[in-house]
Amino acid sequence: MALLEVKDLQVRVEEREILHGLTLTVNEGEIHAIMGPNGSGKSTLSHVIAGKPGYEVTGGQILFKGEDLLEMAAEERAAKGVFLAFQYPVEIPGVATMNFLRTALNAQRKARGEEEFSTPDFLRKVREVSKSLNIPQDMLKRGVNVGFSGGEKKRNEVLQMALFEPSLCILDEMDSGLDIDALRIAADGVNALRSPKRSMVVITHYQRLLNYIVPDVVHVMSKGRVVKSGGKELALELEASGYAQFEDAA
Amino acid sequence: MNVAVAKTGKGRAVSDLFTSAEGRLPGSPGITAVRREAFETYERLGLPHRRIEEWKYTDLRALVGEVLPLAAAPDAAALKRAADAVKAHAIDGAHKLVLVDSVLAADLSDVKALASEAGFKTLRETLEKDADLLKTATVDAVIALNAAMATDGVVLSIADGVQLSAPIQIIHIATAASASAFSRSQVAVGKGARATIVETFVAAGASAYQVNDAVIVSVGDNADVAHIRLMDDAPDAVNVTSHFVTIGANVKYNFFNMTTGAAVSRLQGFITLAGEGSELSANGVNLLQKTEHGDTTLVVDHAVPNCVSREVFRAVIDDRAHSVFQGRIIVRPDAQKTDGKMMTRALLLSDEAEADNKPELEIFADDVSCGHGATAGALDDSLLFYLKARGLPEKQAQALLIQAFVGEAIEQIADDNLREHVIGIAERWLERRS
């Protein structure tokens, strides 16, 4: 069953069209990789799906579980199960990570008409997840991402993914700024969240990440469109031959 | 009823504000003369206006216009409302001193419990003998008016070496609508003593009232004082408060002010570091919405060498509200090795919100370290989006960021219980945002 359907999506940023009719279908439980050179529109796609302001959708639609995603505010999308793991998670001084996690989780549950988590249940859950991600408890007392290393910030994103249990995870350049060890820890965390009920869209420049998070489908984006789709072997092909062939094709 | 009108710039008739109240004001006959003189000073100056430099951002003639008549004594119903307000705003474990429309309500106060730790009298009692409390080194129109009209207040003395077991909370409750309350208090902290004084200003069913308060604080050598003022008056009230603080040697004085109420307010603090080796921490938060005008003016006078002063001020301004921060640091010629820093930040939540910031450094010594910094800006969109992408609705995301913004000033309150109390007031302000 299709979880996410992007149909002929056209997006402008300040009068410049970035996506020119992008189409993409992600079924339940699938992992899709989106690869492409800088400026091909990969991050724009992730921002538009998550509901970041500043993008004008001039054509096409995005359906999530059959519902019109573009009609929803960013927080509604989150409550419905859309999760964007940011390329550059922001630092929020003065907002303790633990307080942020509880506020966000309960806001999502409230929006879905579910009971809020009690403090002991919440703490137990956070402790479980953070232990598996090798996140020390004192990190959770600090301001959100304040003073975190690149690897810690990405692990904090994965921690949220595990807590919020979204049905669609978009990982925007998760490998940027990470060394191999940090990448492996983050990727292990992501892999632990693979489930037949959860789909992922992994956006990356490099094939390297896909050694750790193995996709079912690979798409190549160039100049605002998907120009080729294939199996995981397509990523290896790209690594060998580069993006130039597709830039010409687009 | 007498309609009391203050003298205006247009030379209107002199008010009967004073003459109608005079018979109800406490003090021996000798004190009446002091009051009359103070009222004449007020009449001569009139309400402060924009052409007076210290008041250029807070033009009381334009913002307030007239001083309302003195509040009548509260009736039984008003006292009942006041009792409910005390319950709602009391800090757990604190010794309470309650002023209802600026008059001490002994029944609502913990006078007996306090007596074992601190000396206590009312202003009313003190003025029967002595007019000194009506005199201050700094006088402007509102200070003079307070001296003329001061109806009651608390006079506290904490003896040398006494460590108060609990905070003393002075709760100002307004029950009279469209009337003025004038209070004047004194807190004398002895050498080596330790005290926490909290002042709370709230309404109990009153609206459109005016508060003019003055507090005179003296701190003996080696004392440790936390002084917290929480002004949450009714949204259409006026609150003008003047603090006069004199600090001895090797003192720690930690002051925090938060403004969450009143249509027009000004806190002016005159703090003198008069003994060497003292550390002053003076911090504040203004949370303003609608068309509220909140002014925090601090004059820190380094009169002697080797003192440290730190000022952290945060303003959150919504709608068409207007926040003013004026911070003057004076370093006298003898005050070498002074270390004074002042940092103020304003968060503007609307295009029509206004923040004025006036730092003034007057440095007459040559071996000092003094500095100030100021910023003003909106909420960071990238932070807001991050929170919304995690499921927080806009208002909740804003609230979290606003709490973080003011947190830096609130964190200066050392006591956990008091800090939580202050955070609670800030949270209620956030809930009031429409």
Side-chain angles (χ1 to χ4, degrees):
Chain A
M1 199 195 111
L3 181 77
L4 177 73
E5 296 165 86
V6 181
K7 296 178 184 172
D8 193 27
L9 188 68
Q10 291 152 46
V11 174
R12 282 170 176 272
V13 178
E14 292 169 354
E15 300 303 305
R16 202 163 66 88
E17 192 166 273
I18 308 282
L19 300 181
H20 321 280
L22 183 138
T23 295
L24 175 76
T25 300
V26 179
N27 292 318
E28 227 172 37
E30 288 180 351
I31 296 198
H32 287 230
I34 297 182
M35 304 184 70
N38 275 330
S40 58
K42 304 186 303 290
S43 284
T44 297
L45 175 64
S46 69
H47 291 159
V48 172
I49 293 173
K52 186 173 183 176
Y55 297 89
E56 190 195 352
V57 177
T58 53
Q61 63 177 166
I62 305 178
L63 299 180
F64 180 69
K65 298 176 182 170
E67 288 184 86
D68 185 354
L69 201 62
L70 295 174
E71 286 297 305
M72 299 177 203
E75 64 269 23
E76 289 176 71
R77 301 180 197 200
K80 295 263 184 196
V82 176
F83 182 90
L84 170 65
F86 284 65
Q87 180 178 3
Y88 302 111
V90 294
E91 297 190 7
I92 315 180
V95 178
T97 305
M98 210 60 159
N99 180 29
F100 158 70
L101 293 174
R102 182 165 43 214
T103 308
L105 183 61
N106 282 332
Q108 292 191 21
R109 294 179 68 88
K110 195 178 164 200
R112 292 194 293 263
E114 297 168 7
E115 286 261 322
E116 294 192 356
F117 260 101
S118 73
T119 303
D121 287 351
F122 169 79
L123 290 175
R124 195 176 315 118
K125 204 169 148 87
V126 174
R127 226 171 278 137
E128 260 170 41
V129 179
S130 53
K131 201 173 170 197
S132 70
L133 283 165
N134 201 13
I135 293 174
Q137 292 297 304
D138 71 303
M139 215 169 104
L140 301 175
K141 290 178 191 146
R142 278 147 57 186
V144 176
N145 292 323
V146 176
F148 288 20
S149 69
E152 287 171 333
K153 284 181 184 169
K154 296 297 167 83
R155 260 145 61 200
N156 192 20
E157 296 291 284
V158 180
L159 167 70
Q160 293 169 49
M161 210 188 290
L163 272 181
F164 303 153
E165 300 177 332
S167 41
L168 176 66
C169 304
I170 302 160
L171 312 179
D172 190 4
E173 309 266 6
M174 205 181 86
D175 44 347
S176 69
L178 294 196
D179 60 34
I180 285 291
D181 292 331
L183 180 60
R184 189 178 295 124
I185 297 172
D188 286 349
V190 172
N191 283 327
L193 297 173
R194 293 183 79 144
S195 130
K197 288 278 168 205
R198 182 170 295 131
S199 310
M200 297 189 188
V201 175
V202 181
I203 292 172
T204 182
H205 266 311
Y206 304 108
Q207 194 267 338
R208 188 179 70 167
L209 175 64
L210 305 180
N211 290 336
Y212 298 98
I213 304 172
V214 180
D216 302 303
V217 185
V218 174
H219 305 278
V220 181
M221 261 186 86
S222 179
K223 297 181 179 165
R225 284 191 192 91
V226 172
V227 292
K228 186 164 185 181
S229 301
K232 62 183 177 219
E233 64 287 350
L234 179 57
L236 293 166
E237 202 181 298
L238 277 172
E239 188 78 352
S241 57
Y243 290 119
Q245 47 171 327
F246 298 107
E247 293 197 317
D248 297 339
Chain B
M1 189 181 106
N2 290 316
V3 178
V5 182
K7 186 178 177 181
T8 70
K10 291 166 192 150
R12 275 200 279 162
V14 168
S15 79
D16 60 358
L17 174 67
F18 184 65
T19 46
S20 68
E22 206 176 359
R24 291 154 55 205
L25 298 173
S28 62
I31 283 161
T32 309
V34 178
R35 288 186 182 276
R36 277 187 171 269
E37 196 184 325
F39 195 79
E40 278 162 22
T41 302
Y42 161 70
E43 281 196 314
R44 184 165 37 79
L45 297 170
L47 277 178
H49 53 81
R50 75 189 73 215
R51 291 186 306 283
I52 295 172
E53 181 59 25
E54 290 80 2
W55 292 82
K56 69 187 245 187
Y57 298 113
T58 301
D59 184 330
L60 288 186
R61 277 190 198 174
L63 290 165
V64 176
E66 62 174 19
V67 176
L68 296 169
L70 193 66
D75 59 16
L79 285 171
K80 172 72 177 66
R81 291 202 305 277
D84 292 341
V86 168
K87 281 194 200 103
H89 299 280
I91 290 164
D92 284 347
H95 294 313
K96 300 181 295 294
L97 293 171
V98 179
L99 297 168
V100 177
D101 303 323
S102 86
V103 177
L104 186 92
D107 292 350
L108 301 176
S109 303
D110 303 321
V111 176
K112 265 195 190 141
L114 185 64
S116 63
E117 299 194 1
F120 170 71
K121 277 184 185 169
T122 61
L123 179 78
R124 200 165 268 273
E125 290 162 345
T126 308
L127 288 183
E128 293 305 324
K129 298 191 193 79
D130 187 354
D132 280 356
L133 271 180
L134 298 181
K135 295 166 189 161
T136 50
T138 304
V139 174
D140 65 13
V142 299
I143 297 166
L145 182 62
N146 182 284
M149 304 285 291
T151 314
D152 204 358
V154 305
V155 180
L156 283 165
S157 62
I158 295 147
D160 291 355
V162 168
Q163 319 279 304
L164 286 187
S165 66
I168 295 174
Q169 185 183 17
I170 304 165
I171 307 180
H172 294 255
I173 295 174
T175 69
S178 306
S180 281
F182 298 87
S183 47
R184 197 175 186 96
S185 294
Q186 185 183 48
V187 180
V189 182
K191 289 176 183 166
R194 178 196 282 270
T196 297
I197 309 292
V198 181
E199 298 175 85
T200 300
F201 291 83
V202 289
S207 60
Y209 58 89
Q210 297 177 349
V211 173
N212 181 333
D213 181 44
V215 185
I216 299 160
V217 181
S218 62
V219 186
D221 296 350
N222 302 304
D224 185 342
V225 177
H227 183 184
I228 295 166
R229 178 178 177 272
L230 306 168
M231 198 283 284
D232 195 19
D233 268 314
D236 54 0
V238 175
N239 184 310
V240 179
T241 294
S242 308
H243 284 185
F244 310 89
V245 182
T246 308
I247 296 172
N250 302 311
V251 165
K252 280 192 167 55
Y253 189 75
N254 196 324
F255 176 68
F256 176 85
N257 177 65
M258 187 158 79
T259 298
T260 47
V264 177
S265 69
R266 159 126 154 172
L267 167 69
Q268 46 180 5
F270 304 93
I271 305 173
T272 302
L273 289 152
E276 290 192 40
S278 288
E279 289 174 32
L280 165 68
S281 171
N283 311 291
V285 171
N286 276 5
L287 299 175
L288 304 172
Q289 51 186 307
K290 307 270 167 44
T291 56
E292 289 166 359
H293 178 107
D295 175 341
T296 303
T297 293
L298 296 176
V299 178
V300 173
D301 188 343
H302 284 264
V304 296
N306 297 313
C307 288
V308 175
S309 64
R310 290 284 177 276
E311 294 170 62
V312 176
F313 181 76
R314 296 282 179 272
V316 179
I317 315 148
D318 202 358
D319 306 320
R320 290 160 56 207
H322 183 184
S323 178
V324 177
F325 178 78
Q326 304 186 105
R328 181 187 295 178
I329 301 175
I330 304 165
V331 182
R332 302 284 171 191
D334 288 344
Q336 301 294 3
K337 306 286 181 194
T338 287
D339 176 0
K341 301 258 177 330
M342 175 163 62
M343 183 67 211
T344 128
R345 289 175 66 195
L347 179 58
L348 302 159
L349 298 177
S350 126
D351 290 344
E352 292 175 284
E354 186 178 340
D356 285 300
N357 182 57
K358 189 172 78 171
E360 291 175 287
L361 303 184
E362 296 179 8
I363 301 173
F364 302 102
D366 54 12
D367 184 14
V368 301
S369 162
C370 276
H372 66 86
T375 65
L379 283 172
D380 185 328
D381 285 336
S382 65
L383 303 192
L384 273 177
F385 174 61
Y386 188 85
L387 295 174
K388 289 195 293 196
R390 295 300 179 251
L392 270 70
E394 173 86 23
K395 285 284 169 191
Q396 210 182 343
Q398 288 188 3
L400 206 56
L401 295 178
I402 293 167
Q403 278 175 293
F405 178 80
V406 299
E408 213 173 311
I410 294 177
E411 273 166 23
Q412 308 295 325
I413 300 171
D415 184 274
D416 292 344
N417 188 27
L418 288 176
R419 202 171 50 244
E420 287 304 318
H421 180 83
V422 171
I423 289 169
I425 297 171
E427 282 173 350
R428 286 199 290 284
W429 182 85
L430 286 166
E431 284 162 16
R432 287 209 295 271
R433 285 185 71 213
S434 49

